Amino acid sequence: MGVAMDYSVLDQEELFQLAVHAMENQQHAEAVTLLKQGVLNDGSDARLRYLLGAEYAQIGLFDRAAAEMEHAVALQPDLVMAVFQLGLLYLTQGRPEQAVQTWLGLDPLPQDHPLQLFRQGLQHLIRDEFAESRESLTQGMSANQLVPALNADMQRIVLQIDARNAAAEQTAPAAAGSVLLRGYAGSGDGKLH
């Protein structure tokens, strides 16, 4: 049995770095413990609240994930990854209107920014514009060098679009778009990195 660590002796930067390390190594309990201590120390630390929300999403606590990400975005509206991920969380929960509204926080980014391209692709997906969605998502993946895990999430969506297109060639396309979106939302792939 391990010795319990007193996390209260760690400062915010130590908690942040240790939490990121734990998250990268899939040590969910450790990451949540570190992040909760950081939020307890300073409830206005938007990046720790964002990471806590991301970790909650990883372990399937989606309501808690949304609450923490909402806090993070309210505290620091220019924390663009939190803005994007909160919108993605809403989308995977079947709340596309809230996703679109949340992504308005990305408006200051250049149009060729990966998060803008991902946003455009997902908004095309919401409107069942599959070719446009695939194109924007693919451009976003090419432009995104900072968060490879986000590319993996977008690649899963592109693969679903491709599967939908292949199926549409064999059957009538009725309601295929809504099935695709529901499939992504219910697949458990709401990973937020």
Side-chain angles (χ1 to χ4, degrees):
M1 195 182 314
V3 176
M5 172 76 178
D6 180 9
Y7 294 114
S8 65
V9 301
L10 300 173
D11 66 32
Q12 291 301 93
E13 192 58 32
E14 292 166 335
L15 289 165
F16 175 80
Q17 293 299 329
L18 289 169
V20 168
H21 179 75
M23 292 172 78
E24 289 171 347
N25 290 291
Q26 303 297 312
Q27 297 169 334
H28 302 296
E30 181 80 4
V32 169
T33 301
L34 290 160
L35 293 165
K36 285 177 78 172
Q37 181 64 52
V39 168
L40 182 65
N41 291 353
D42 180 2
S44 65
D45 191 328
R47 63 188 184 147
L48 287 181
R49 284 196 174 274
Y50 160 62
L51 289 179
L52 182 56
E55 193 60 20
Y56 280 148
Q58 282 286 339
I59 61 175
L61 297 173
F62 299 113
D63 289 339
R64 290 184 187 188
E68 289 300 331
M69 287 190 190
E70 288 165 359
H71 260 108
V73 170
L75 289 166
Q76 190 175 342
D78 64 345
L79 191 58
V80 293
M81 187 57 76
V83 171
F84 177 77
Q85 293 286 14
L86 178 58
L88 183 58
L89 180 60
Y90 287 147
L91 184 60
T92 61
Q93 291 180 319
R95 297 158 51 184
E97 297 84 15
Q98 282 184 278
V100 170
Q101 186 65 35
T102 298
W103 288 330
L104 293 176
L106 300 175
D107 284 353
L109 295 176
Q111 288 302 306
D112 62 348
H113 190 282
L115 294 181
Q116 285 285 28
L117 295 167
F118 290 149
R119 166 196 182 182
Q120 292 166 17
L122 294 170
Q123 288 178 324
H124 284 301
L125 184 63
I126 290 168
R127 295 186 300 267
D128 293 342
E129 299 166 352
F130 299 109
E132 296 88 347
S133 175
R134 187 184 198 295
E135 181 179 343
S136 293
L137 293 174
T138 301
Q139 289 174 357
M141 288 185 288
S142 294
N144 178 29
Q145 303 302 312
L146 297 176
V147 187
L150 191 54
N151 280 357
D153 288 342
M154 298 301 114
Q155 182 61 39
R156 278 192 284 280
I157 296 170
V158 168
L159 291 174
Q160 288 184 350
I161 292 169
D162 291 346
R164 179 244 171 233
N165 287 339
E169 290 175 6
Q170 297 173 355
T171 62
S178 60
V179 171
L180 176 72
L181 191 55
R182 278 198 313 266
Y184 183 69
S187 69
D189 288 330
K191 294 181 180 177
L192 304 177
H193 306 278

